[in-house]
Amino acid sequence: MTNDLTTKSPKWITIYLWITALITLGASLAGYFKPDALLGTWEALPAVGALSLAGPLGLFLSRNMATAVVTVFALVKNNTSMIKIVLLLRIVSDGLDLVNNLIAGNMQVAIMGGVMCLIEIFALITISKKKETHKSTSSS
């Protein structure tokens, strides 16, 4: 565990996570305060309760807000183990966004979720290899 505290994450991973955290936080806040502006093209918008925070919108916004807060916390702590967990969380979340939006026929969001998922998989592999390299050089 001490190796994780001293090993720094590659700068591009840190920048990517800060950008995604800020976008996620901004979109969540916009969804809470102005949901029709955020989801104006959502085909379920006219449905009764679609913009209710007690329904799917609330669950979506809560998940995104929690993801943003956990990401910022891991980045501020600059702990490699925490950053790996955040990447794993984002891989699952963005991967499911890809699948859900493919099923719903929302290709723009599906593609975005897929690209983000691939970036996060690459980041997790990169940060894991860096830790292994750091371990082997420190034990020599």
Side-chain angles (χ1 to χ4, degrees):
M1 185 69 159
T2 53
N3 282 345
D4 281 351
L5 294 174
T6 58
T7 306
K8 287 206 171 235
S9 300
K11 193 162 193 82
W12 73 267
I13 294 174
T14 303
I15 292 168
Y16 173 80
L17 288 175
W18 273 113
I19 290 169
T20 58
L22 293 174
I23 290 170
T24 303
L25 187 63
S28 296
L29 291 172
Y32 274 113
F33 296 113
K34 195 99 168 109
D36 52 332
L38 178 67
L39 303 167
T41 59
W42 187 34
E43 63 187 44
L45 194 62
V48 174
L51 296 180
S52 167
L53 291 176
L57 176 64
L59 294 173
F60 172 76
L61 296 175
S62 297
R63 179 201 76 177
N64 282 344
M65 186 70 74
T67 301
V69 169
V70 168
T71 303
V72 169
F73 183 76
L75 289 167
V76 168
K77 286 292 190 179
N78 197 19
N79 181 300
T80 305
S81 293
M82 292 173 71
I83 290 173
K84 284 186 197 177
I85 291 170
V86 166
L87 286 168
L88 188 58
L89 169 73
R90 292 204 58 92
I91 289 167
V92 171
S93 178
D94 291 333
L96 290 173
D97 281 348
L98 164 68
V99 172
N100 294 338
N101 283 286
L102 278 175
I103 292 168
N106 189 354
M107 288 308 290
Q108 292 104 341
V109 178
I111 291 169
M112 183 179 74
V115 168
M116 290 177 74
C117 189
L118 288 173
I119 292 169
E120 292 147 5
I121 289 169
F122 182 68
L124 185 60
I125 291 168
T126 301
I127 203 169
S128 295
K129 282 184 180 179
K130 184 173 181 172
K131 182 183 174 216
E132 289 171 13
T133 304
H134 180 71
K135 268 186 177 177
S136 65
T137 56
S138 64
S139 64
S140 299

